[in-house]
Each structure stands twice: as C-alpha cells, then as structure tokens.
C-alpha cells in the first residue's frame, strides 16, 4: 500500500491580474520553481518578476528558498536574499512587488482541494533523466535536457568542444562536468578559475550529487537542476 505524500507547507498569493487568491500545497521533498515563465511550478505573470525568479526546495527537513539571479531580487520579511534561506511559518516572500505567504500548516481540506485543482506540488523521483534551466544572463530561460551520460560545461567559444556552452566570460574553458551515476547526476569542478557552487557551497574534487531544485553557480551564471 502506497502512503500518500505528507503535506507540509502551503504558499498563498493574490493573482496580480484577477486578484484571486492562489494556494499551492508542498509535500515532503517537493521543489517549486517560481517565475513569470509559464513552465514554472508557480507562475506569477507580473512585470517585475523574472522569467525564472526563485526556487523553493526541501533540504534536510526544511524548505529553503534561493534567488535565481533575478533582476529585481527576492526578499523574505523585507530582507534581500544573498544566499539560500530557510523558510519558517509566517514568512512573507516578496518578488520585488508580488507577495507570497509561506505557512507550515496544511489542513486535510486544503490538501484535498490542492489535489483537485492541480496545485499540489510533490517530490520528483530521480530516474536518471534531468535538465538544466539557465536562470539569468543572456541565455535566461534556456532549458538544456541532459540526454547523455556525461556532459561538460564551459564558456561558449567558436572552438568549444563541450556539450553545454555558457555565454559568460567568467566561466572557464571548460568549467565543470556532469556524470550520470546509478540514476543520480553528479557534478565535478574541472579546476575552474571561479569554482563551481551548488546551493552556494563549493564543489570539491569528490564531486557533488545533485537533487531536484539544486541551484548551480558557474561564474556569474545560475542554473536550476530539475530531476525526472
């Protein structure tokens, strides 16, 4: 018998065009991308919101929010985020203008309604498939499907031989490598000048396993990793 995912939190906000309250329920392990682009888990069609603005993901028992290099910044309780931030019930997330309210209380009725309305966000299983979404800079919004078992990322140049090229002069030639190991993506830094970060932490020579919703930083470029 399969156990239903445990609903742990909800996010509510008013649609900027209709003024109707929207509510999304997050289950244990869930990742929710937020932005103006329709492909986000939570799409907020407001001019001050970047196409890929922020991401909330579940790490070690806590929902963390990370800005994705947005043009206007992400604020929690009016404090500008400069690194991943743990959310607590009652926190107010502001995407420059739109406000989202985070709550760690979800009733059975709210859970049921979210299932019916398609606003229940659940964990994604790691199946070996995945994609990277470039969230800032000249390639913002570009999605790169991870179709090979081994991919190198580096600066986009006319003589580049790597599979993923980034239009960023602060990215090395090459910069990092992704490998699929037992249905899990692992990232390695290739001795880059500026390092490779996952959720703000430097990747060591041992590499770093990626989880859905992880934010990669290579030079000035941020990429959102989505599993499954």
């Amino acid at each position: 018998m399969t156990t239903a995912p445990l609903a742990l939190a909800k996010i509510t906000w008013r649609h900027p065009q209709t003024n109707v309250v929207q509510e999304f329920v997050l289950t244990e392990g869930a990742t929710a991308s937020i932005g103006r682009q329709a492909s986000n888990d939570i799409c907020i069609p407001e001019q001050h919101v970047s196409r890929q603005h922020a991401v909330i993901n579940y790490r070690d028992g806590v929902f963390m929010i990370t800005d994705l290099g947005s043009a206007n910044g992400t604020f929690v309780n009016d404090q500008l985020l400069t690194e991943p931030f743990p959310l607590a019930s009652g926190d107010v997330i502001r995407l420059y203008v739109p406000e989202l309210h985070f709550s760690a209380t979800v009733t059975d009725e709210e859970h049921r309604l979210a299932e019916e309305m398609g606003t229940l966000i659940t964990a994604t299983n790691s199946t070996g498939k995945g994609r990277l979404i470039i969230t800032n800079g000249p390639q913002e919004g570009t999605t790169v499907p991870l179709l090979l078992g081994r991919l190198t990322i580096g600066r986009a140049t006319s003589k580049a031989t790597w599979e993923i090229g980034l239009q960023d002069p602060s990215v090395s030639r090459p910069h990092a490598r992704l490998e699929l190991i037992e249905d899990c993506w692992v990232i390695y830094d290739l001795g880059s000048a500026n390092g490779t970060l996952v959720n703000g932490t430097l990747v060591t020579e041992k590499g770093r396993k990626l989880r859905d919703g992880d934010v990669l930083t290579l030079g000035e470029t941020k990429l959102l990793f989505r599993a499954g």
Side-chain angles (χ1 to χ4, degrees), residues 79-172:
Q79 296 297 309
L80 179 66
L81 296 188
T82 56
E83 58 186 20
F85 184 85
L87 289 169
S89 194
D91 280 348
V92 177
I93 302 161
R94 183 163 59 83
L95 309 183
Y96 194 67
V97 173
E99 287 189 350
L100 300 86
H101 296 262
F102 179 85
S103 171
T105 304
V106 183
T107 66
D108 291 343
E109 178 67 8
E110 287 169 336
H111 190 174
R112 185 188 65 78
L113 279 173
E115 284 185 311
E116 286 183 4
M117 301 292 289
T119 55
L120 181 69
I121 301 175
T122 58
T124 301
N125 293 324
S126 181
T127 60
K129 296 179 181 179
R131 64 191 189 278
L132 293 175
I133 304 167
I134 301 172
T135 65
N136 69 333
Q139 293 164 283
E140 181 191 350
T142 301
T143 297
V144 182
L146 305 180
L147 301 176
L148 304 174
R150 183 184 174 108
L151 297 140
T152 302
I153 308 171
R155 190 191 313 169
T157 66
S158 58
K159 296 181 180 179
T161 58
W162 27 93
E163 292 80 12
I164 302 173
L166 300 177
Q167 297 171 21
D168 180 348
S170 61
V171 168
S172 294

Side-chain angles (χ1 to χ4, degrees), residues 212-224:
D212 186 42
D214 279 348
V215 179
L216 284 54
T217 305
L218 285 73
E220 297 296 323
T221 302
K222 290 187 183 294
L223 305 100
L224 176 62

Side-chain angles (χ1 to χ4, degrees), residues 16-107:
Q17 295 165 353
T18 64
N19 207 36
V20 173
V21 174
Q22 311 283 310
E23 185 171 278
F24 288 79
V25 171
L26 307 179
T27 68
E28 185 176 5
T31 292
S33 62
I34 308 169
R36 196 176 72 240
Q37 196 160 293
S39 57
N40 285 284
D41 298 299
I42 300 176
C43 172
I44 301 182
E46 205 274 345
Q47 62 179 348
H48 297 95
V49 176
S50 294
R51 282 177 285 183
Q52 310 285 336
H53 198 110
V55 64
I56 295 172
N57 68 344
Y58 188 77
R59 295 184 216 154
D60 304 319
V62 179
F63 281 106
M64 305 285 291
I65 184 167
T66 307
D67 182 79
L68 294 175
S70 65
N72 293 313
T74 301
F75 301 77
V76 176
N77 304 327
D78 280 333
Q79 296 297 309
L80 179 66
L81 296 188
T82 56
E83 58 186 20
F85 184 85
L87 289 169
S89 194
D91 280 348
V92 177
I93 302 161
R94 183 163 59 83
L95 309 183
Y96 194 67
V97 173
E99 287 189 350
L100 300 86
H101 296 262
F102 179 85
S103 171
T105 304
V106 183
T107 66

Side-chain angles (χ1 to χ4, degrees), residues 165-219:
L166 300 177
Q167 297 171 21
D168 180 348
S170 61
V171 168
S172 294
R173 302 176 288 181
H175 195 110
R177 185 178 72 249
L178 285 165
E179 282 190 34
L180 183 60
I181 301 172
E182 296 178 349
D183 280 348
C184 183
W185 286 99
V186 180
I187 190 165
Y188 299 90
D189 184 76
L190 297 177
S192 65
N194 294 312
T196 300
L197 289 82
V198 176
N199 303 328
T201 302
L202 273 171
V203 174
T204 67
E205 64 275 4
K206 295 179 181 179
R208 168 78 178 258
K209 286 185 177 181
L210 295 179
R211 294 186 291 181
D212 186 42
D214 279 348
V215 179
L216 284 54
T217 305
L218 285 73

